[in-house]
Amino acid sequence: QSALTQPASVSGSPGQSITISCTGTSSDVGGYNYVSWYQQHPGKAPKLMIYDVSNRPSGVSNRFSGSKSGNTASLTISGLQAEDEANYYCNSYTSSSTPVVFGGGTKLTVL
Amino acid sequence: QVQLVESGGGLVKPGGSLRLSCAASGFTFSDHYMSWIRQAPGKGLEWVSYISSSGSTIYYADSVKGRFTISRDNAKNSLYLQMNSLRGEDTAVYYCARQKSGWANDYWGQGTLVTVSS
């Protein structure tokens, strides 16, 4: 089972917007609207930021948004803040024998 | 507030067994599907297993199928992961997580470290 493909790292300055991509196949990202995004600070548990492609849980800043086009999902963070510096993971439901697959993770650096 | 507290991690030799527990509070445990997700040291997240609210539906990652068994006791608000035939590549922090709608996990425990080494 191959992981979803994410860039290893992205960076941006405070106030800027950045986008993290998550590329899969028609058997996962492209075939279902079950893409989620998680933020993880070092030594902490992951936190759900986006679910079902574009929905934000209550309490998550509206600076975080999600979208999908074809086999690629995206997480956009606008108005970048220092506390956004973290690792971000996408995951998706998949029709394979392992029903959930994660991306390899993206380290976001706020310059 | 929702709390998930894992326990049972530790050092085990290759081929050995370990049983992880996750104590849930702050929500109606029996209404929610639950998952185990792990993270090897310095690596990314890996989904391990999922169990429906009644326990009637269970899924495993191919990497643990036949070796790990997920279960739950709704009367005790607890989730379990029985891990047998452990290998070095099972070394990881194991998180229990509550399933939200669809396949997202909206609450996570703090994790318990499992180290498989001779």
Side-chain angles (χ1 to χ4, degrees):
Chain A
Q1 177 66 40
S2 299
L4 305 176
T5 300
Q6 297 182 233
S9 63
V10 299
S11 62
S13 300
Q16 287 186 331
S17 294
I18 63 95
T19 296
I20 299 172
S21 62
C22 171
T23 301
T25 69
S26 57
S27 296
D28 39 62
V29 173
Y32 307 93
N33 289 323
Y34 289 134
V35 177
S36 304
W37 289 91
Y38 300 88
Q39 176 192 66
Q40 186 180 36
H41 289 105
K44 301 293 188 183
K47 176 186 176 183
L48 178 65
M49 306 304 284
I50 296 288
Y51 68 96
D52 297 351
V53 176
S54 59
N55 295 299
R56 254 189 330 271
S58 61
V60 172
S61 170
N62 59 8
R63 298 185 298 106
F64 292 82
S65 62
S67 63
K68 188 182 81 167
S69 177
N71 295 336
T72 298
S74 298
L75 173 71
T76 297
I77 308 173
S78 59
L80 213 52
Q81 299 179 0
E83 66 249 36
D84 299 332
E85 184 163 296
N87 291 308
Y88 291 84
Y89 296 91
C90 63
N91 81 355
S92 173
Y93 172 77
T94 167
S95 59
S96 76
S97 54
T98 298
V100 178
V101 62
F102 276 93
T106 298
K107 180 176 173 55
L108 169 62
T109 300
V110 179
L111 302 170
Chain B
Q1 72 283 18
V2 173
Q3 271 202 307
L4 297 168
V5 180
E6 302 94 337
S7 61
L11 176 63
V12 61
K13 289 182 167 54
S17 298
L18 214 53
R19 189 195 196 206
L20 305 184
S21 299
C22 173
S25 60
F27 66 102
T28 305
F29 181 71
S30 58
D31 284 349
H32 287 268
Y33 293 16
M34 298 293 294
S35 300
W36 287 98
I37 295 156
R38 68 185 181 183
Q39 186 169 35
K43 302 296 185 182
L45 299 170
E46 180 187 14
W47 182 87
V48 173
S49 184
Y50 147 112
I51 185 168
S52 63
S53 53
S54 66
S56 60
T57 301
I58 286 172
Y59 294 106
Y60 296 101
D62 287 344
S63 58
V64 307
K65 204 170 292 183
R67 301 187 299 121
F68 289 13
T69 302
I70 191 172
S71 63
R72 64 190 296 160
D73 185 335
N74 286 342
K76 293 184 177 179
N77 291 339
S78 293
L79 175 72
Y80 306 102
L81 186 68
Q82 178 66 44
M83 304 186 296
N84 298 331
S85 302
L86 283 162
R87 308 165 180 167
E89 54 263 38
D90 296 317
T91 294
V93 172
Y94 285 73
Y95 294 101
C96 77
R98 191 180 82 166
Q99 200 98 351
K100 191 175 170 55
S101 62
W103 291 82
N105 298 103
D106 59 351
Y107 287 94
W108 297 58
Q110 84 290 350
T112 187
L113 176 62
V114 172
T115 303
V116 183
S117 175
S118 55

